[in-house]
């Protein structure tokens, strides 16, 4: 345990000492928030207006609360994954610059080394994502605030859970990489594609039936849905005072807050179960990969 702690502290210090890598991770959520609010806010607003039954007019505060909730839910679900790939570059950098040889030559088993990389990535990523959450809460407060303390605690829980998922996913993928070029390529692919396959940039209701059904087999879909649920629960609760429940369910389905799999509604509990099981399975594979592979 002492070796794990020492190596984790070492990895965190190296990450924060690299100002370029740290500030890139830190500023990415802020840039995404600006881009989302600039280019997607009006699109989301028009979609909500068209989804509301005729004869019902929403207040500007409630409409802005729906828009900001969808924006923030999408942003945080993407940030938890993409930032993890940035903070986990140290694993590949140690291989690229030869530092991994100094760590392996010491009496440290590979399992300890793997856990320390994962823990350092999780702590560093969580710091960045909590900072992003603070920015997002400020944005929601300036648009339309309906949350209570339990809503905020649930959002924090989902940020921690998706950060865990992002870190173990990036740790497993990065364990197969050994050069700066490879990690740059993987980071670019994840940054550009993850938001689409997770239903963050565009709701899955806009996709074709085949693609939508395929995405329902991915745990990323349920992670995004959980984040949107936690951010928008209070706003939908307020919306329920003026429009029927059936209309709210249709609206939730249109933005992937309410998921339908094989004709059945996927419960929140089932979504959490899928995400937790995925994290456990990926972590076991990650540890086994380090334990079974031979030194080169």
């Amino acid at each position: 345990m002492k070796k794990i702690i020492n190596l984790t502290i070492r990895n965190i210090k190296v990450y924060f000492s690299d100002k370029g890598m740290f500030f890139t991770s830190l500023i990415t959520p802020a840039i995404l928030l600006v881009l989302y609010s600039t280019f997607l806010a009006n699109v989301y607003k028009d979609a909500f207006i068209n989804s509301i039954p005729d004869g019902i007019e929403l207040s500007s505060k409630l409409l802005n609360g729906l828009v900001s909730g969808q924006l923030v839910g999408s942003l945080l679900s993407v940030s938890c994954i993409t930032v993890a790939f940035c903070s986990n570059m140290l694993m590949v950098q140690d291989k690229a610059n030869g530092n991994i040889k100094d760590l392996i030559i010491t009496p440290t088993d590979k399992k300890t080394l793997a856990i320390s990389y994962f823990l350092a990535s999780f702590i560093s990523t969580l710091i960045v994502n909590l900072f992003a959450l603070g920015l997002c809460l400020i944005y929601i407060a300036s648009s339309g605030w309906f949350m209570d303390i339990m809503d905020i605690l649930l959002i924090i829980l989902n940020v921690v859970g998706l950060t865990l998922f992002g870190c173990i996913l990036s740790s497993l993928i990065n364990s197969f990489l050994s050069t700066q070029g490879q990690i740059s390529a993987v980071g670019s692919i994840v940054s550009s594609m993850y938001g689409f396959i997770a239903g963050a940039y565009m709701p899955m209701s806009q996709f074709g039936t085949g693609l939508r059904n395929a995405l329902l087999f991915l745990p990323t879909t349920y992670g995004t849905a959980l984040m949107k649920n936690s951010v928008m629960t209070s706003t939908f609760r307020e919306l329920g005072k003026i429009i029927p429940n059936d209309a709210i369910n249709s609206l939730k389905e249109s933005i992937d807050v309410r998921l339908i799999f094989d004709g059945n509604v996927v419960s929140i509990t089932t979504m959490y179960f899928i995400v937790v099981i995925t994290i456990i399975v990926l972590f076991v594979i990650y540890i086994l990969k380090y334990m079974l592979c031979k030194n080169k």
Side-chain angles (χ1 to χ4, degrees):
M1 179 60 68
K2 185 177 180 180
K3 289 182 180 179
I4 293 177
I5 294 175
N6 290 336
L7 283 172
T8 301
I9 293 174
R10 174 259 177 189
N11 294 337
I12 293 174
K13 286 182 177 179
V14 172
Y15 170 73
F16 282 104
S17 65
D18 189 337
K19 299 299 188 297
M21 185 163 56
F22 170 64
F23 283 112
T24 298
S25 302
L26 193 63
I27 201 173
T28 298
I31 294 175
L32 284 176
L33 181 59
V34 173
L35 292 176
Y36 273 40
S37 59
T38 301
F39 296 103
L40 293 179
N42 290 332
V43 176
Y44 288 165
K45 183 176 294 185
D46 292 338
F48 281 124
I49 292 174
N50 295 331
S51 301
I52 300 301
D54 295 336
I56 297 177
E57 185 174 350
L58 301 182
S59 65
S60 59
K61 180 181 179 181
L62 185 54
L63 181 59
N64 289 334
L66 289 169
V67 173
S68 61
Q70 186 177 2
L71 285 172
V72 167
S74 300
L75 185 150
L76 289 177
S77 63
V78 172
S79 178
C80 289
I81 309 303
T82 55
V83 173
F85 276 85
C86 290
S87 65
N88 225 334
M89 287 182 181
L90 177 62
M91 178 190 297
V92 184
Q93 288 180 340
D94 279 347
K95 296 178 185 178
N97 57 27
N99 288 341
I100 192 69
K101 297 178 182 178
D102 297 330
L103 297 174
I104 291 177
I105 202 173
T106 62
T108 301
D109 59 80
K110 292 181 178 181
K111 182 176 67 175
T112 299
L113 192 61
I115 293 175
S116 69
Y117 278 128
F118 166 73
L119 289 177
S121 173
F122 172 70
I123 294 172
S124 302
T125 304
L126 186 60
I127 291 173
V128 175
N129 286 332
L130 289 177
F131 170 77
L133 174 59
L135 292 179
C136 290
L137 291 178
I138 293 173
Y139 173 68
I140 292 177
S142 66
S143 302
W145 182 275
F146 298 97
M147 295 183 187
D148 55 29
I149 185 64
M150 292 305 298
D151 294 323
I152 297 176
L153 292 177
L154 183 59
I155 295 172
I156 294 174
L157 173 65
N158 286 329
V159 168
V160 173
L162 283 185
T163 299
L164 268 173
F165 173 69
C167 289
I168 190 57
L169 178 64
S170 62
S171 296
L172 180 59
I173 293 176
N174 288 355
S175 66
F176 293 95
L177 309 180
S178 58
T179 66
Q180 292 286 1
Q182 290 173 348
I183 188 60
S184 297
V186 170
S188 299
I189 293 173
V190 172
S191 298
S192 59
M193 291 186 59
Y194 180 81
F196 289 101
I197 64 174
Y201 295 153
M202 182 183 297
M204 291 190 302
S205 59
Q206 305 296 318
F207 298 158
T209 303
L211 178 57
R212 184 167 62 248
N213 292 336
L215 293 178
L216 287 172
F217 284 94
L218 300 179
T220 54
T221 300
Y222 301 99
T224 302
L226 284 172
M227 186 64 74
K228 289 182 179 180
N229 259 290
S230 62
V231 176
M232 302 185 72
T233 295
S234 56
T235 312
F236 280 123
R237 188 167 54 238
E238 188 71 20
L239 186 64
K241 298 177 182 180
I242 59 176
I243 69 173
N245 190 55
D246 290 342
I248 291 181
N249 287 336
S250 297
L251 181 59
K252 288 181 177 180
E253 291 174 16
S254 69
I255 59 174
D256 302 335
V257 172
R258 189 171 186 259
L259 298 178
I260 307 296
F261 183 84
D262 195 25
N264 300 310
V265 178
V266 182
S267 66
I268 299 296
T269 303
T270 302
M271 293 183 193
Y272 276 115
F273 178 78
I274 293 172
V275 173
V276 170
I277 290 299
T278 302
I279 292 172
I280 294 173
V281 171
L282 290 178
F283 187 77
V284 171
I285 295 174
Y286 173 63
I287 296 300
L288 287 176
K289 188 266 180 185
Y290 266 86
M291 292 177 64
L292 298 178
C293 69
K294 297 180 180 180
N295 286 329
K296 294 183 179 180

